[in-house]
Amino acid sequence: MEKAADFHYNAEQNYDEETIIQQREIEKEIAGCQDLVGPKEDFTTLDREFEHDVAFLKKIQDVKQRYRRFRRIRADGNCFFRAFGFAYFESLLKNPDEFKRFQDIALKSKDELITLGFPQFTLEDFHETFMQELNKIETNKSIEGVLQTFNDCGTSDYIVVYLRLIVSGFLQKNEDFYQSFLDGGRTMREFCNQEVEPMGRESDHIHIIALSQATGICVQVDYMDRGDGNLISHVFPEDSSPSIYLLYKPGHYDILYKE
Amino acid sequence: MAGAAVKRLMAEYKQLTLNPPEGIVAGPQDEENYFEWEALIMGPEGTCFEGGVFPAKLTFPNDYPLSPPQMRFTCDLFHPNIYPDGRVCISILHAPGDDPLGYESSAERWSPVQSVEKILLSVVSMLAEPNDESAANVDAAKCWRDDRKLFEERAKKSVRKSLNL
């Protein structure tokens, strides 16, 4: 691309291809300076990030009262799925009963998705990788192993894809109920094709509800926003006891830890 | 990552060989390099492209199927959704958010469960039903809209050329 100073906009020209190339370059830059899943840390860097922002600093105080540590997740549009996946796999290290319950659900999920019309041969790779990495928890039982899985780009992304497919399958199966949450007159199939299945599409409430319902995993999200008052928390599904905690800052999810 | 892509592309090639969709032949240029494919697309029956056999190249990224391939016809094709240099511009070749020409909100997008077969079938539909709303070749779109007879003549010329007549 030309340098900004020499740039003259030409209305006749289509800049979309160049825009896409530039977006890819920005993504590469982000990838170069941030782990997919970062180390557990205290809130010092969070304070620094928002040091000139009074509204957020107050919310960070609330966060500190409720949690001890957090883990940053790369901001690539997949952060909700990656944070959810990692935090849950990590929680399974200490919970063999829950591991068995989930292993059974994950095993059966493939046939359910095929019944819903997902093509078997495009689904298989993602399911295989997902099961292989899940099963490592039982044999390996180390946080280093889970970190390695989620920081290996290919493996990590395949897990994200499979979680996305679980959400897509759940929403299509329960279309009658969830259809009313969609705006813009899209069908559930269109919504899933455009907002759930593709990598990099950000998650909304509907993705979170669907993933927690489909997997029976309870997640609490603490919302940091500019609003007055205290930090607001939502538990999905309502009235259950969370096994993982996520921090939401506008457009992004990280993982929170009570200890 | 590239290993996963090769595994998937091998599976897709096998699938396309065992159950070839009508009017489509596709596979890797040579079995050493699964990231470059050649495809032959027959012009759909009952359209002005009928009888043509149009060669194209598909180029897959290292992170396929997380990202879509690019497709380029290597023959002359005057069509609203094909750039003058042969690149195919349809919604399934783009993830949502990558919006070169502002596709309709209902348009099918790339996601990791799509496949080469789905792309090629979409390309056949595109030949049969050009979309002049999101034109990659503005002249072809204008011609399709305003002078259908001339468009059909140019299409037939592409057909003859594709058969080396």
Side-chain angles (χ1 to χ4, degrees), chain A residues 211-225:
Chain A
L211 187 56
S212 71
Q213 291 280 359
T215 55
I217 299 166
C218 179
V219 53
Q220 174 170 328
V221 183
D222 289 65
Y223 290 88
M224 243 172 77
D225 56 26

Side-chain angles (χ1 to χ4, degrees), chain A residues 14 16-17 20 23-24 118-119 121-123 125-126 128 153-154 157-158 161 165 184 186 189-190 193-195 197-199 201, chain B residues 1 4-5 7-8 11-12 15 64-66 83 87 94 96-101 105-115:
Chain A
N14 185 334
D16 298 320
E17 296 274 324
I20 293 173
Q23 275 171 354
R24 289 293 98 81
F118 285 88
F121 82 102
T122 57
L123 188 73
D125 276 356
F126 303 114
E128 234 170 65
C153 191
D157 282 349
Y158 267 46
V161 170
L165 297 180
R186 282 190 276 188
R189 177 72 214 112
E190 284 164 6
N193 170 252
Q194 296 164 8
E195 306 295 341
E197 292 164 19
M199 289 298 277
R201 296 307 277 173
Chain B
M1 201 146 75
K7 189 172 160 222
R8 163 73 178 259
E12 292 207 44
Q15 181 84 4
Y64 182 81
L66 304 177
Y83 283 104
R87 272 177 304 142
H94 295 277
D98 283 356
D99 250 330
L101 300 163
S105 66
S106 62
E108 183 93 352
R109 293 315 193 100
W110 179 258
S111 88
V113 281
Q114 303 283 21
S115 59

Side-chain angles (χ1 to χ4, degrees), chain A residues 89-102:
Chain A
F89 274 38
E90 187 181 24
S91 78
L92 290 179
L93 289 170
K94 289 184 204 145
N95 197 341
D97 292 341
E98 172 65 10
F99 176 86
K100 285 282 172 228
R101 183 195 72 82
F102 182 69

Side-chain angles (χ1 to χ4, degrees), chain A residues 59-178:
Chain A
K59 297 288 163 81
I60 295 174
Q61 286 309 317
D62 286 352
V63 172
K64 284 185 195 163
Q65 278 179 9
R66 299 184 200 176
Y67 300 94
R68 300 278 307 276
R69 318 276 266 180
F70 84 122
R71 216 187 262 283
R72 287 183 186 271
I73 304 295
R74 187 186 293 169
D76 60 0
N78 299 309
C79 53
F80 165 70
F81 287 99
R82 214 180 308 272
F84 186 101
F86 180 88
Y88 182 65
F89 274 38
E90 187 181 24
S91 78
L92 290 179
L93 289 170
K94 289 184 204 145
N95 197 341
D97 292 341
E98 172 65 10
F99 176 86
K100 285 282 172 228
R101 183 195 72 82
F102 182 69
Q103 190 184 37
D104 189 48
I105 289 179
L107 261 176
K108 287 180 184 151
S109 64
K110 183 177 122 184
D111 288 338
E112 276 177 31
L113 289 172
I114 291 170
T115 314
L116 284 166
F118 285 88
Q120 177 162 2
F121 82 102
T122 57
L123 188 73
E124 225 146 44
D125 276 356
F126 303 114
H127 182 254
E128 234 170 65
T129 303
F130 190 86
M131 290 313 295
Q132 183 189 312
E133 298 305 318
L134 179 67
N135 291 335
K136 275 187 193 166
I137 291 178
E138 200 176 28
T139 47
N140 190 347
K141 280 201 180 65
S142 79
I143 182 64
E144 288 75 23
V146 184
L147 270 169
Q148 199 179 358
T149 292
F150 278 85
N151 274 319
D152 174 81
C153 191
T155 314
S156 196
D157 282 349
Y158 267 46
I159 293 174
V160 168
V161 170
Y162 198 69
L163 292 174
R164 286 179 175 279
L165 297 180
I166 289 176
V167 167
S168 172
F170 180 85
L171 289 175
Q172 291 183 67
K173 197 167 133 193
N174 298 284
E175 185 181 349
D176 289 347
F177 181 74
Y178 288 98

Side-chain angles (χ1 to χ4, degrees), chain A residues 199-214:
Chain A
M199 289 298 277
R201 296 307 277 173
E202 286 179 11
S203 298
D204 224 323
H205 255 65
I206 190 168
H207 300 76
I208 306 177
I209 294 168
L211 187 56
S212 71
Q213 291 280 359

